[in-house]
């Protein structure tokens, strides 16, 4: 861990008496500030701060460390900036996290294209159906699809993710086709454990609405629900990037064409804006540009126009 940044964090916490204020000033998450402080105490082999519910104060070891950190920062500030352009070239390891469906249908090809353009970078892609802790699990960038992003996180908007409500022709032949969102209550809806398990959101001419849904199968990964829908188990709401090819091939039928399922935001979440590695900055820029291209991130209206009426 960077000792200069750790020293800056410690000095700011000591001067401001607040980890939250330090996080705001340095452009870090509070979790990252806590991690730097823990590392400082590890290096010092001593407790540096007294922590209470109302304030932070320095221990004797903290007073001594504060003086040394200020001296270190003063020396560092006097050093000339090295003009080595190679330091700005994207390089090194990036640890990314995302869901299985996102990785399989969108991110794998995006990462392959990014690595082709930046051969000095390597990527470790972690697939997880849960919200990972960036600091504890040492994740550089998590791709999250949500409309309920934690405001305490540092995130960059990368695009919008449309959804489709769809089912297999066999299911519709046996159970009928819903014509309005309210009719979904009469059907077996395959729901995501963490998103929209009991309510699905729609928009009609800009007006939002939520309808209750339920069924005999839920899962914490949308690919599982997609596979079940293909086998005729019920109706599913899927990201457009997963469902569009199956609708185009006729294996699934897009439903409720007049009602637009609620779009979700796509975000790149990371721990700190300070001293962002060139590889991470390049990856964020690359994904923002790629997701803006409909060839890689199709809009929700793309597959609905013809197939949903069939």
């Amino acid at each position: 861990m960077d000792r200069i940044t750790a020293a800056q964090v410690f000095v700011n916490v000591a001067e401001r008496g607040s980890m939250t204020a330090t996080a705001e000033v340095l452009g870090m998450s509070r979790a990252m500030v806590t991690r730097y402080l823990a590392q400082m105490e590890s290096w010092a082999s001593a407790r540096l701060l007294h922590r209470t519910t109302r304030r932070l104060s320095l221990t004797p070891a903290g007073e001594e460390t504060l003086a040394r950190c200020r001296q270190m920062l003063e020396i560092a500030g006097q050093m000339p900036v090295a003009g080595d352009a190679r330091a700005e070239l994207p390089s090194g390891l990036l640890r990314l996290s995302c869901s299985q469906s996102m990785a399989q249908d969108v991110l794998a090809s995006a990462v392959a294209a990014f690595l082709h353009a930046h051969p000095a970078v390597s990527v470790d892609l972690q697939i997880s159906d849960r919200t990972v802790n960036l600091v504890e699990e040492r994740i550089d960038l998590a791709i999250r699809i949500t409309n309920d992003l934690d405001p305490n996180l540092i995130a960059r908007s990368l695009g919008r993710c449309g959804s489709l409500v769809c089912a297999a022709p066999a299911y519709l032949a046996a159970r009928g086709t819903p014509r309005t969102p309210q009719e979904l209550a009469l059907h077996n809806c395959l729901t995501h454990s963490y998103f929209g398990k009991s309510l699905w959101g729609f928009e009609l001419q800009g007006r939002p609405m939520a309808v209750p849904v339920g069924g005999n199968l839920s899962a914490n990964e949308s690919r599982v629900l997609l596979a079940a829908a293909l086998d005729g188990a019920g109706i599913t709401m899927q990201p457009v990037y997963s469902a569009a090819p199956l609708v185009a091939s006729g294996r699934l039928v897009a439903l409720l064409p007049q009602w637009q399922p609620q779009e979700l935001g796509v975000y790149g979440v990371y721990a700190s804006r300070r001293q962002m590695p060139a590889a991470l900055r390049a990856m964020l820029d690359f994904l923002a540009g790629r997701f803006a291209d409909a060839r890689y991130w199709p809009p929700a209206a793309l597959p609905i126009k013809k197939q949903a009426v069939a």
Side-chain angles (χ1 to χ4, degrees):
M1 183 173 281
D2 180 8
R3 289 178 182 265
I4 296 296
T5 303
Q8 290 173 326
V9 169
F10 179 65
V11 169
N12 269 273
V13 170
E15 292 176 347
R16 301 174 189 280
S18 168
M19 290 190 287
T20 300
T22 296
E24 292 176 356
V25 168
L26 297 182
M28 295 181 178
S29 66
R30 194 177 186 280
M32 183 59 78
V33 170
T34 301
R35 180 179 168 190
Y36 274 117
L37 290 177
Q39 186 61 67
M40 285 292 297
E41 292 186 328
S42 175
W43 287 331
S45 299
R47 180 178 291 278
L48 303 180
L49 294 166
H50 291 301
R51 297 172 174 86
T52 69
T53 56
R54 302 188 65 178
R55 63 188 297 269
L56 296 173
S57 60
L58 293 171
T59 65
E63 294 282 2
E64 183 179 347
T65 301
L66 178 61
R68 291 180 178 178
C69 285
R70 283 172 171 161
Q71 184 180 20
M72 180 192 305
L73 293 176
E74 183 178 357
I75 294 172
Q78 295 171 354
M79 295 176 63
V81 177
D84 186 358
R86 291 175 297 176
E88 292 301 314
L89 293 177
S91 63
L93 174 66
L94 277 180
R95 287 173 55 84
L96 272 59
S97 173
C98 70
S99 68
Q100 179 182 342
S101 63
M102 177 73 175
Q104 183 171 332
D105 294 327
V106 177
L107 202 58
S109 61
V111 167
F114 175 84
L115 293 176
H116 181 75
H118 301 285
V121 178
S122 58
V123 169
D124 179 12
L125 185 54
Q126 298 291 308
I127 311 303
S128 179
D129 54 20
R130 59 183 174 81
T131 301
V132 299
N133 185 302
L134 302 182
V135 175
E136 291 181 0
E137 301 180 46
R138 299 185 181 276
I139 298 297
D140 297 300
L141 178 65
I143 309 300
R144 294 181 183 168
I145 303 177
T146 180
N147 279 346
D148 190 26
L149 192 69
D150 185 339
N152 295 316
L153 294 176
I154 299 172
R156 176 172 172 179
S157 176
L158 299 176
R160 302 292 296 174
C161 177
S163 299
L164 283 176
V165 175
C166 50
Y171 174 86
L172 300 175
R175 297 286 301 272
T177 300
R179 302 299 177 184
T180 66
Q182 290 82 356
E183 291 182 20
L184 292 172
L186 305 175
H187 286 267
N188 194 48
C189 294
L190 313 177
T191 57
H192 198 285
S193 302
Y194 303 135
F195 173 77
K197 185 170 184 178
S198 58
L199 288 173
W200 283 356
F202 294 87
E203 287 187 4
L204 177 61
Q205 297 177 348
R207 292 177 298 166
M209 64 181 298
V211 296
V213 294
N216 59 10
L217 175 62
S218 64
N220 62 357
E221 173 50 56
S222 63
R223 298 290 301 187
V224 174
L225 302 175
L226 184 63
L230 286 168
D231 283 337
I235 296 174
T236 181
M237 181 182 284
Q238 289 286 325
V240 171
Y241 59 74
S242 293
L246 297 168
V247 170
S249 69
R251 297 183 66 194
L252 291 176
V253 176
L255 306 173
L256 307 172
Q258 287 79 26
W259 285 266
Q260 173 65 56
Q262 187 178 28
E263 283 191 337
L264 299 176
V266 185
Y267 298 94
V269 180
Y270 48 101
S272 174
R273 294 189 184 93
R274 190 174 183 83
Q275 295 181 333
M276 181 185 294
L280 176 55
R281 185 182 299 108
M283 176 64 81
L284 285 166
D285 290 343
F286 178 85
L287 292 178
R290 187 176 178 100
F291 289 173
D293 190 328
R295 292 177 299 170
Y296 304 112
W297 196 268
L302 185 64
I304 294 179
K305 294 180 180 177
K306 295 181 179 180
Q307 289 89 343
V309 183

